[in-house]
Amino acid sequence: MDEIKDLNPDKKYISWQTMFLMALCTVIGIDDIMYNFQNQGMSVVFSWILMCVFYVLPYSLMVGQLGSVFNSEGGGLSSWVRGTDGEFLGYFTAWTYWAASIPYAVDSANEVIVDIGWAFTGSEKFQHSISNSMFAILTFVTFIVFIIVENRFSHSMEILSTIGGGMMVIMEFVMVILAFVGLAKSGGHMATQPFTWKTIIPKFDWHYFSTIAMLIYAMNGCELVAPYVTKMKDPKRDFPKSMMMLAAVTAFVTIFGSFALGIYFNAYHIPNDLKMNGAYYVFDMIGQQYGIGHTLLFIWAWTSLFFNCAMLAVLLDAMTRMLISDTGKRYMPSFLRKTDKNGLPINGYILTVSLSAFIMLLGIFLPDMNDIFNWLLNLNSIVSPGVTCWIFYSFMRIRRDSQKFPSDYVFIKNDKIAYAVGFILLAVTAIATLMGITPQDVPEGSSTWWYELIINIVAVVVLVGLGTILPSIRRREIKYGVAFDKPQWISIIAIILIAVILGLYMGGSKITLRGLYILIEGIIALFVVWIIGRRKPNLNDAFKAEKDGDN
């Protein structure tokens, strides 16, 4: 308790109600309901019930104990792993958490473009009027604009977060309540027919299990409130209350929200663009049903725009700062830690935007804008649950040696049972992550399916693999003064770009054994990069950013 007082000297406690609302904003939204309804139809109702009871609640309570154990370090995910397994694994956790944010940031930027189209036209016509390349360019421009806006007008972003987050919660409840009132007014008429108990029972096949990762992606994120556990007056009593309320409200929003979608959409014939445009369609239909025209559609469009603008600005700034500051000098190259006169990690921003552009490039050869949007969601449902595995791993570690990791709040007093629960959730999440790598929303075995499978693997390998390479680059900095000279950097970047573009071209073609050819050219490119990179750099021919770095 003394540590808690030290962290909270003014005794400004957070109530369990406030903690619940903070967690709710990080866990579930209307779009999450749309994504999973398109994947599973009405059977998602059954999945939501299972997830809320057997996943969200224990997951949230585990996060509470981890936040309490590592309260002096702020309760961040990387600090949990660092506290149990040392510096390198802590660094790698920070990297994977950051890498998982890249597709999320790209997805948020895409949603900003979609929101703008709906907010100003009131329809999806804007989406059909731009090409994939224009969509990618607009997304890239959005990144640049919001990096500038976040750093010059950070207070305005806080206002946008408050407006967007608050309106998002309100609109979730508005959708559910009006849908059920409308159902009663229509005499129980639903678009989903026939509707029986069998409608909500899933068909337990590969497709179903490969979509579990998207459910996990929709429901994770409550670890973001972990640092605030120590700011509660009585964590033992109040934190479980807030997490139980979180599970209850999440269950209400997801279960009844999915049922509400079944009122307006035929679950047996779901529109292919539901993930991208479903929220707009449903609010428009509700507005028409209540005789208020497109009013709800426009309210939702601006709500979603504010929400995604604020989220994108925070993601681009916070995740870059977190990575640079949390990984330390031992593993992070100095040129990435370099800051400008205002203390901004400018090279870190360049890395963030570059990898985001790489992700956009991977999807640019897909058939249309809707396929790009759906693929990005699929990629998020791979990398995000994969990072969630660290939470369960850390929980297992602290329960394996509970005497070494005392906590003011404890989830399940028996260490063996708690360890077993952590292991089960870790196994479920890991398996769902691996199965989620198979593409969704496209015909299985089609050329687009194979292309999406290839770019899923490429994206994960690049995002995670780069994190294993950076410590080696840092060691070269320490040994030689710089990691690479100008010719090395230029050659390495050029070879990687050529290999990626060639791989993307072959992936989108109908060449026989294209997967094997992509693997071979990838291995050759990596070998050439290794040959170039292992040469001793010339200090007199290095970029200024590296020379000025702190070695």
Side-chain angles (χ1 to χ4, degrees), residues 178-343:
L178 292 185
F180 278 90
V181 172
L183 179 65
K185 287 176 62 178
S186 67
H189 175 73
M190 294 181 62
T192 301
Q193 294 294 336
F195 181 79
T196 65
W197 285 110
K198 291 182 180 179
T199 309
I200 64 172
I201 302 301
K203 181 181 179 182
F204 297 103
D205 54 10
W206 179 270
H207 171 74
Y208 174 79
F209 288 110
S210 67
T211 60
I212 296 297
M214 182 65 79
L215 289 166
I216 295 174
Y217 165 61
M219 306 185 94
N220 64 8
C222 70
E223 67 272 9
L224 296 175
V225 304
Y228 302 100
V229 174
T230 53
K231 294 186 179 181
M232 303 183 81
K233 189 172 184 178
D234 187 357
K236 288 182 180 179
R237 181 173 61 88
D238 290 343
F239 186 77
K241 258 201 257 186
S242 62
M243 291 302 101
M244 288 176 188
M245 179 61 75
L246 171 66
V249 173
T250 300
F252 172 82
V253 171
T254 54
I255 294 168
F256 289 100
S258 298
F259 192 88
L261 294 183
I263 296 174
Y264 295 100
F265 299 105
N266 185 348
Y268 300 106
H269 301 284
I270 299 173
N272 190 47
D273 65 341
L274 189 77
K275 290 179 179 178
M276 185 164 66
N277 296 317
Y280 295 99
Y281 292 154
V282 74
F283 278 114
D284 195 32
M285 286 188 281
I286 292 174
Q288 298 293 342
Q289 183 180 18
Y290 282 86
I292 55 175
H294 302 301
T295 303
L296 284 178
L297 183 151
F298 282 107
I299 292 175
W300 166 252
W302 288 101
T303 296
S304 185
L305 181 59
F306 286 148
F307 182 81
N308 284 307
C309 282
M311 181 175 291
L312 178 60
V314 171
L315 276 172
L316 288 174
D317 186 64
M319 71 186 193
T320 302
R321 290 173 181 268
M322 179 275 291
L323 176 69
I324 303 305
S325 64
D326 195 41
T327 51
K329 297 182 179 180
R330 186 174 177 183
Y331 302 109
M332 183 61 60
S334 61
F335 66 87
L336 286 178
R337 290 184 284 108
K338 181 179 172 59
T339 58
D340 64 10
K341 62 181 181 180
N342 297 316

Side-chain angles (χ1 to χ4, degrees), residues 105-115 135 139 360 372-373 376:
V106 177
D107 183 44
S108 296
N110 281 351
E111 289 202 41
V112 168
I113 304 302
V114 173
D115 292 334
F135 185 41
T139 301
M360 288 185 282
I372 296 174
F373 192 93
L376 270 171

